[in-house]
PDB file of all heavy atoms in Angstrom:
ATOM      1  N   THR A1340     -26.301  31.052  -1.785  1.00 97.00           N
ATOM      2  CA  THR A1340     -25.239  31.905  -2.322  1.00 97.00           C
ATOM      3  C   THR A1340     -25.131  33.194  -1.516  1.00 97.00           C
ATOM      4  O   THR A1340     -26.144  33.827  -1.202  1.00 97.00           O
ATOM      5  CB  THR A1340     -25.507  32.238  -3.794  1.00 97.00           C
ATOM      6  OG1 THR A1340     -25.503  31.013  -4.545  1.00 97.00           O
ATOM      7  CG2 THR A1340     -24.453  33.159  -4.353  1.00 97.00           C
ATOM      8  N   GLY A1353      -3.783  14.670  19.307  1.00 92.00           N
ATOM      9  CA  GLY A1353      -2.603  15.383  19.792  1.00 92.00           C
ATOM     10  C   GLY A1353      -1.631  15.763  18.696  1.00 92.00           C
ATOM     11  O   GLY A1353      -0.469  16.074  18.963  1.00 92.00           O
ATOM     12  N   TRP A1359      -7.143  21.104   5.578  1.00 98.00           N
ATOM     13  CA  TRP A1359      -8.483  21.124   5.000  1.00 98.00           C
ATOM     14  C   TRP A1359      -8.384  20.801   3.519  1.00 98.00           C
ATOM     15  O   TRP A1359      -7.597  21.417   2.787  1.00 98.00           O
ATOM     16  CB  TRP A1359      -9.158  22.485   5.166  1.00 98.00           C
ATOM     17  CG  TRP A1359      -9.847  22.657   6.483  1.00 98.00           C
ATOM     18  CD1 TRP A1359      -9.446  23.387   7.545  1.00 98.00           C
ATOM     19  CD2 TRP A1359     -11.104  22.074   6.860  1.00 98.00           C
ATOM     20  NE1 TRP A1359     -10.348  23.292   8.574  1.00 98.00           N
ATOM     21  CE2 TRP A1359     -11.377  22.498   8.184  1.00 98.00           C
ATOM     22  CE3 TRP A1359     -12.023  21.233   6.218  1.00 98.00           C
ATOM     23  CZ2 TRP A1359     -12.532  22.130   8.861  1.00 98.00           C
ATOM     24  CZ3 TRP A1359     -13.156  20.859   6.907  1.00 98.00           C
ATOM     25  CH2 TRP A1359     -13.412  21.299   8.219  1.00 98.00           C
ATOM     26  N   ARG A1361     -10.897  19.688  -0.083  1.00 97.00           N
ATOM     27  CA  ARG A1361     -12.205  19.478  -0.682  1.00 97.00           C
ATOM     28  C   ARG A1361     -12.092  18.344  -1.686  1.00 97.00           C
ATOM     29  O   ARG A1361     -11.037  18.147  -2.322  1.00 97.00           O
ATOM     30  CB  ARG A1361     -12.792  20.733  -1.329  1.00 97.00           C
ATOM     31  CG  ARG A1361     -12.077  21.258  -2.517  1.00 97.00           C
ATOM     32  CD  ARG A1361     -12.806  22.472  -3.110  1.00 97.00           C
ATOM     33  NE  ARG A1361     -13.933  22.081  -3.955  1.00 97.00           N
ATOM     34  CZ  ARG A1361     -14.787  22.934  -4.515  1.00 97.00           C
ATOM     35  NH1 ARG A1361     -14.648  24.233  -4.313  1.00 97.00           N
ATOM     36  NH2 ARG A1361     -15.775  22.503  -5.265  1.00 97.00           N
ATOM     37  N   GLY A1365     -14.125  13.147  -9.750  1.00 81.00           N
ATOM     38  CA  GLY A1365     -13.172  13.234 -10.855  1.00 81.00           C
ATOM     39  C   GLY A1365     -11.968  14.112 -10.581  1.00 81.00           C
ATOM     40  O   GLY A1365     -11.046  14.144 -11.409  1.00 81.00           O
ATOM     41  N   GLY A1367     -10.517  14.310  -7.203  1.00 87.00           N
ATOM     42  CA  GLY A1367      -9.790  13.830  -6.048  1.00 87.00           C
ATOM     43  C   GLY A1367      -9.796  14.826  -4.906  1.00 87.00           C
ATOM     44  O   GLY A1367     -10.659  15.690  -4.792  1.00 87.00           O
ATOM     45  N   TYR A1373      -3.424  24.496   5.191  1.00 96.00           N
ATOM     46  CA  TYR A1373      -2.852  23.608   6.190  1.00 96.00           C
ATOM     47  C   TYR A1373      -2.128  24.415   7.253  1.00 96.00           C
ATOM     48  O   TYR A1373      -1.733  25.569   7.023  1.00 96.00           O
ATOM     49  CB  TYR A1373      -1.931  22.564   5.550  1.00 96.00           C
ATOM     50  CG  TYR A1373      -0.732  23.092   4.800  1.00 96.00           C
ATOM     51  CD1 TYR A1373       0.534  23.052   5.375  1.00 96.00           C
ATOM     52  CD2 TYR A1373      -0.854  23.586   3.506  1.00 96.00           C
ATOM     53  CE1 TYR A1373       1.643  23.502   4.685  1.00 96.00           C
ATOM     54  CE2 TYR A1373       0.245  24.047   2.812  1.00 96.00           C
ATOM     55  CZ  TYR A1373       1.490  24.002   3.387  1.00 96.00           C
ATOM     56  OH  TYR A1373       2.589  24.462   2.700  1.00 96.00           O
ATOM     57  N   ASP A1376       1.204  24.433  13.229  1.00 91.00           N
ATOM     58  CA  ASP A1376       0.961  24.690  14.637  1.00 91.00           C
ATOM     59  C   ASP A1376       0.044  25.896  14.736  1.00 91.00           C
ATOM     60  O   ASP A1376      -0.371  26.451  13.720  1.00 91.00           O
ATOM     61  CB  ASP A1376       2.261  24.875  15.440  1.00 91.00           C
ATOM     62  CG  ASP A1376       3.062  26.105  15.038  1.00 91.00           C
ATOM     63  OD1 ASP A1376       2.464  27.181  14.795  1.00 91.00           O
ATOM     64  OD2 ASP A1376       4.296  25.989  14.961  1.00 91.00           O
ATOM     65  N   ASN A1381      -0.928  28.079   6.220  1.00 95.00           N
ATOM     66  CA  ASN A1381      -0.393  28.102   4.860  1.00 95.00           C
ATOM     67  C   ASN A1381      -1.491  27.834   3.852  1.00 95.00           C
ATOM     68  O   ASN A1381      -2.386  27.017   4.103  1.00 95.00           O
ATOM     69  CB  ASN A1381       0.679  27.007   4.701  1.00 95.00           C
ATOM     70  CG  ASN A1381       1.786  27.149   5.722  1.00 95.00           C
ATOM     71  OD1 ASN A1381       2.683  27.969   5.570  1.00 95.00           O
ATOM     72  ND2 ASN A1381       1.718  26.373   6.789  1.00 95.00           N
ATOM     73  N   GLY A1383      -3.073  26.302   0.487  1.00 94.00           N
ATOM     74  CA  GLY A1383      -2.905  25.156  -0.372  1.00 94.00           C
ATOM     75  C   GLY A1383      -3.116  25.552  -1.818  1.00 94.00           C
ATOM     76  O   GLY A1383      -2.999  26.720  -2.182  1.00 94.00           O
ATOM     77  N   ASP A1387      -8.430  30.345  -2.679  1.00 95.00           N
ATOM     78  CA  ASP A1387      -9.283  31.498  -2.994  1.00 95.00           C
ATOM     79  C   ASP A1387     -10.732  31.238  -2.585  1.00 95.00           C
ATOM     80  O   ASP A1387     -11.313  30.210  -2.915  1.00 95.00           O
ATOM     81  CB  ASP A1387      -9.232  31.804  -4.500  1.00 95.00           C
ATOM     82  CG  ASP A1387      -7.917  32.423  -4.909  1.00 95.00           C
ATOM     83  OD1 ASP A1387      -7.140  32.811  -4.016  1.00 95.00           O
ATOM     84  OD2 ASP A1387      -7.674  32.527  -6.130  1.00 95.00           O
ATOM     85  N   ALA A1412     -19.310  20.793  -2.420  1.00 97.00           N
ATOM     86  CA  ALA A1412     -18.314  19.719  -2.425  1.00 97.00           C
ATOM     87  C   ALA A1412     -18.362  18.995  -1.091  1.00 97.00           C
ATOM     88  O   ALA A1412     -19.088  19.364  -0.171  1.00 97.00           O
ATOM     89  CB  ALA A1412     -16.902  20.273  -2.651  1.00 97.00           C
ATOM     90  N   CYS A1416     -11.319  17.354   6.864  1.00 98.00           N
ATOM     91  CA  CYS A1416     -10.242  17.790   7.729  1.00 98.00           C
ATOM     92  C   CYS A1416      -9.328  16.586   7.960  1.00 98.00           C
ATOM     93  O   CYS A1416      -9.795  15.435   7.995  1.00 98.00           O
ATOM     94  CB  CYS A1416     -10.826  18.276   9.055  1.00 98.00           C
ATOM     95  SG  CYS A1416      -9.629  18.690  10.323  1.00 98.00           S
ATOM     96  N   ASP A1420       1.087  13.632  12.241  1.00 85.00           N
ATOM     97  CA  ASP A1420       2.110  13.791  13.265  1.00 85.00           C
ATOM     98  C   ASP A1420       3.461  13.634  12.584  1.00 85.00           C
ATOM     99  O   ASP A1420       3.796  12.539  12.151  1.00 85.00           O
ATOM    100  CB  ASP A1420       1.923  12.716  14.342  1.00 85.00           C
ATOM    101  CG  ASP A1420       3.038  12.734  15.382  1.00 85.00           C
ATOM    102  OD1 ASP A1420       3.878  13.661  15.344  1.00 85.00           O
ATOM    103  OD2 ASP A1420       3.058  11.812  16.214  1.00 85.00           O
ATOM    104  N   GLY A1423       5.656  10.772  13.525  1.00 60.00           N
ATOM    105  CA  GLY A1423       5.129   9.421  13.412  1.00 60.00           C
ATOM    106  C   GLY A1423       5.649   8.649  12.223  1.00 60.00           C
ATOM    107  O   GLY A1423       5.371   7.483  12.061  1.00 60.00           O
ATOM    108  N   ALA A1425       8.147   9.350   8.321  1.00 59.00           N
ATOM    109  CA  ALA A1425       8.519  10.289   7.265  1.00 59.00           C
ATOM    110  C   ALA A1425       7.486  10.339   6.157  1.00 59.00           C
ATOM    111  O   ALA A1425       7.456  11.292   5.387  1.00 59.00           O
ATOM    112  CB  ALA A1425       9.882   9.906   6.697  1.00 59.00           C
ATOM    113  N   ASN A1427       4.413  10.774   6.438  1.00 74.00           N
ATOM    114  CA  ASN A1427       3.373  11.778   6.695  1.00 74.00           C
ATOM    115  C   ASN A1427       1.963  11.229   6.543  1.00 74.00           C
ATOM    116  O   ASN A1427       1.150  11.788   5.807  1.00 74.00           O
ATOM    117  CB  ASN A1427       3.584  12.981   5.762  1.00 74.00           C
ATOM    118  CG  ASN A1427       2.747  14.189   6.154  1.00 74.00           C
ATOM    119  OD1 ASN A1427       2.435  14.373   7.324  1.00 74.00           O
ATOM    120  ND2 ASN A1427       2.362  14.995   5.186  1.00 74.00           N
TER     121      ASN A1427
END
Side-chain angles (χ1 to χ4, degrees):
Chain A
T1340 298
W1359 275 105
R1361 66 177 279 175
Y1373 61 103
D1376 65 41
N1381 304 281
D1387 287 349
C1416 174
D1420 175 7
N1427 192 29

